[in-house]
């Protein structure tokens, strides 16, 4: 529709509409002509050279992704409070009947592009919702967006800005403690919402941690890159012989030890070890027959993919070399830039160098409360393989 919009216009170069017609939510800098006259993060109307509106998004001149789209329509729109409320309500309604939410009192309520709301992450921990405003666009809408969580009945709303050092505070209520307790698959876990990674912990591994538990009985487990010990707790609960949690962060291992004690007391067959896993995997302290490799995103951008691939190959190769015959490796990548196919190739290459017979037992991904927008394949960031090593 060719009408004047309330919002500044962003014109696409000729022939650059295809991704947008396919509802991909990102516009890269090369696809636009002139920067619109607007503030960082402001909503813009995206138009083709015929001056027709195609979509609306948050504009950013600082980023390679100059516009993150949240509405695909030819209509003239007004994005008022009711619009944002409905978007978050839709995300909430989708999750209301998901089994994951019955397994845990901690779950993701809004998953950015996966919920057609780029720049917004919201994780629920009981009565608290921890919100990450990841772009200037969502920061500009802060009060409007946060009000919706109040309307949904949350007692505490805690906010973290994109810039991790900038804004971290309670917006609504104050629980009086930055460490809160959550429950997952019948286990208690302490979460430090202020200092913890992401919104406090990694909710995306909930289903995979439960699966790990089913393989743990009687096994010697190495949880490499353990963070606060989520996989370790599931292994202990299911009768593992011994569990070692290894992480480079002292604070993560303190938290893992506290979590083990909270669930199993001081006599649990668990040891937390502060170490660089690249070194530890070369000098293991035990004969492991169940190994978890869940490193941080090694590839944050395209330029880093090659180096990241070497890192993934190295840790997988060491795990395949050391694991006892008949053991299982749970191996993951959470790098958006490492595709499922590339990850499989990297693990294949490590397996081949280790010269062992290896079966793929399960192919894993992120849980249902971290959905993938079908038009945004980059949203499928978590890949995992469960491997049996002869
Ligand atoms: C994706 S998180 C792991 C999440 C964990 N599996 C869970 O279920 O919560 C990655 C972890 O790797 C740790 N890490 C990063 N580099 C490391 C290294 N070189 N050696 C050991 N740990 C490392 C980080 O401190 C972080 O806790």
């Amino acid at each position: 529709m060719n009408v004047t919009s309330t919002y500044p216009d962003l014109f696409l170069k000729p022939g650059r509409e295809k991704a947008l017609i396919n509802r991909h939510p990102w516009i890269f800098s090369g696809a636009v002509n002139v920067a619109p006259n607007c503030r960082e993060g402001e909503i813009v109307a995206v138009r083709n050279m015929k001056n027709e509106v195609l979509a609306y998004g948050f504009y950013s001149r600082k980023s390679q992704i100059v516009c993150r789209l949240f509405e695909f329509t030819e209509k003239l729109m007004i994005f008022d409070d009711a619009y944002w409320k409905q978007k978050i309500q839709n995300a909430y309604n989708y999750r209301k009947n998901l089994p994951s939410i019955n397994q845990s009192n901690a779950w993701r309520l809004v998953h950015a592009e996966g919920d057609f709301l780029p720049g917004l992450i919201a994780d629920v921990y009981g009565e608290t919702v921890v919100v990450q405003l990841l772009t200037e666009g969502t920061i500009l809408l802060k009060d409007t967006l946060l009000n919706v969580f109040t309307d949904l009945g949350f007692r505490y709303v805690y906010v973290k800005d994109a810039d991790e050092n900038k804004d971290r505070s309670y917006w609504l209520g104050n629980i009086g403690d930055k460490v809160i307790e959550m429950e997952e698959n019948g286990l208690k876990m302490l979460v430090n919402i202020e200092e913890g990674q992401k919104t406090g912990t990694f909710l995306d591994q909930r289903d995979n941690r439960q699966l790990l538990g089913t393989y743990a009985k009687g096994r010697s487990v190495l949880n490499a890159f353990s963070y606060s010990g989520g996989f370790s707790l599931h292994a202990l609960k299911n009768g593992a012989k011994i569990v070692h949690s290894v992480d480079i962060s002292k604070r993560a291992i303190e938290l893992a030890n506290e979590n083990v004690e909270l669930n199993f007391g001081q006599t649990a067959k668990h040891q937390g070890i502060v170490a660089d896993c690249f070194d530890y995997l070369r000098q293991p302290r035990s004969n492991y027959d169940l190994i978890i490799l869940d490193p941080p995103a090694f590839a944050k951008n395209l330029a880093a993919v090659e180096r990241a691939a070497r890192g993934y190959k190295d840790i997988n190769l060491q795990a395949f070399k050391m694991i006892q015959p008949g053991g299982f490796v749970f191996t993951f990548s959470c790098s958006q830039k490492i595709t499922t196919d590339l990850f499989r190739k990297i693990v294949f290459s490590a397996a081949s160098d280790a010269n062992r017979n290896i079966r793929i037992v399960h192919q894993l991904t992120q849980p249902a409360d971290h959905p993938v927008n079908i038009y945004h394949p980059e949203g499928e960031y978590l890949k995992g393989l469960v491997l049996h090593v002869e």
Side-chain angles (χ1 to χ4, degrees):
M1 207 189 286
N2 190 351
V3 283
T4 311
S5 163
T6 327
Y7 301 103
D9 295 322
L10 178 68
F11 286 98
L12 290 176
K13 285 182 185 164
R16 301 305 288 262
E17 291 104 321
K18 187 158 180 280
L20 209 130
I21 289 164
N22 286 336
R23 299 176 80 97
H24 193 285
W26 293 348
I27 300 178
F28 289 92
S29 54
V32 301
N33 256 330
V34 190
N37 184 15
C38 72
R39 285 169 71 189
E40 184 72 11
E42 205 173 312
I43 294 172
V44 291
V46 181
R47 291 176 183 262
N48 59 18
M49 292 308 278
K50 287 190 252 161
N51 205 24
E52 294 162 330
V53 175
L54 303 173
Y56 294 84
F58 299 119
Y59 180 72
S60 168
R61 55 174 55 75
K62 289 187 204 155
S63 167
Q64 278 276 50
I65 303 170
V66 290
C67 192
R68 291 175 190 264
L69 303 167
F70 56 82
E71 184 65 48
F72 293 85
T73 179
E74 297 171 356
K75 290 189 206 142
L76 190 64
M77 296 284 291
I78 297 287
F79 301 106
D80 56 8
D81 289 2
Y83 174 87
W84 299 107
K85 184 170 182 176
Q86 189 58 54
K87 256 197 161 0
I88 295 176
Q89 185 72 50
N90 290 348
Y92 185 78
N93 292 347
Y94 155 66
R95 285 160 175 85
K96 259 193 318 207
N97 298 316
L98 285 181
S100 17
I101 290 166
N102 302 326
Q103 268 168 248
S104 174
N105 70 349
W107 44 279
R108 178 152 293 187
L109 198 166
V110 183
H111 185 56
E113 278 86 353
D115 285 300
F116 319 105
L117 229 167
L120 186 69
I121 296 281
D123 283 347
V124 173
Y125 297 97
E127 295 180 297
T128 305
V129 58
V130 181
V131 181
Q132 282 186 295
L133 303 168
L134 297 174
T135 59
E136 277 305 317
T138 47
I139 291 171
L140 285 181
L141 287 170
K142 180 172 175 174
D143 287 340
T144 300
L145 296 172
L146 297 184
N147 263 321
V148 183
F149 299 107
T150 318
D151 294 348
L152 285 171
F154 291 100
R155 211 161 143 201
Y156 309 104
V157 179
Y158 189 86
V159 196
K160 284 178 153 179
D161 269 3
D163 177 351
E164 300 232 321
N165 304 314
K166 227 163 91 188
D167 187 6
R168 300 178 156 215
S169 55
Y170 276 101
W171 182 83
L172 173 75
N174 189 335
I175 210 165
D177 195 349
K178 57 192 180 183
V179 180
I180 55 180
E181 196 178 295
M182 63 169 257
E183 250 189 73
E184 180 182 286
N185 304 319
L187 290 156
K188 292 179 202 145
M189 280 169 76
L190 297 172
V191 182
N192 188 327
I193 57 171
E194 187 176 306
E195 292 163 13
Q197 297 181 28
K198 310 281 174 185
T199 62
T201 194
F202 297 90
L203 299 178
D204 55 2
Q205 288 287 23
R206 180 196 314 109
D207 296 358
N208 302 329
R209 291 194 276 249
Q210 191 168 34
L211 180 70
L212 181 278
T214 65
Y215 283 87
K217 196 169 170 48
R219 293 197 179 265
S220 298
V221 182
L222 167 60
N223 183 5
F225 307 92
S226 66
Y227 190 50
S228 59
F231 280 105
S232 304
L233 298 178
H234 286 73
L236 289 165
K237 181 186 169 197
N238 288 281
K241 193 154 73 182
I242 174 86
V243 180
H244 290 164
S245 304
V246 184
D247 201 284
I248 203 162
S249 152
K250 186 166 169 273
R251 190 64 201 107
I253 291 301
E254 282 167 2
L255 212 51
N257 288 336
E258 285 173 52
N259 281 331
V260 171
E261 196 175 328
L262 183 67
N263 287 276
F264 308 105
Q266 286 183 339
T267 55
K269 297 168 202 146
H270 174 261
Q271 198 185 346
I273 299 161
V274 180
D276 185 328
C277 284
F278 284 89
D279 300 332
Y280 186 87
L281 286 161
R282 289 181 161 76
Q283 28 189 281
R285 284 200 200 164
S286 187
N287 291 326
Y288 301 111
D289 55 4
L290 180 53
I291 298 178
I292 301 121
L293 302 172
D294 186 20
F298 288 152
K300 299 250 195 258
N301 52 51
L302 217 51
V305 166
E306 211 179 295
R307 228 177 58 144
R310 282 200 295 275
Y312 287 116
K313 180 170 173 188
D314 186 52
I315 57 174
N316 280 280
L317 175 58
Q318 299 312 322
F320 296 150
K321 277 186 179 168
M322 79 155 82
I323 196 160
Q324 294 297 300
F328 289 90
V329 177
F330 279 59
T331 181
F332 296 96
S333 162
C334 60
S335 300
Q336 201 179 57
K337 302 286 178 222
I338 305 280
T339 61
T340 306
D341 191 40
L342 176 58
F343 185 56
R344 172 89 76 97
K345 284 188 179 126
I346 294 166
V347 177
F348 160 88
S349 165
S352 155
D353 284 9
N355 203 18
R356 296 184 67 172
N357 281 343
I358 296 182
R359 295 179 177 85
I360 296 178
V361 185
H362 300 277
Q363 299 178 54
L364 307 177
T365 183
Q366 61 221 53
D369 56 342
H370 292 60
V372 182
N373 169 347
I374 198 163
Y375 309 108
H376 181 241
E378 297 86 343
E380 192 180 343
Y381 68 98
L382 185 63
K383 302 103 206 163
L385 292 168
V386 180
L387 304 160
H388 178 256
V389 186
E390 267 188 7

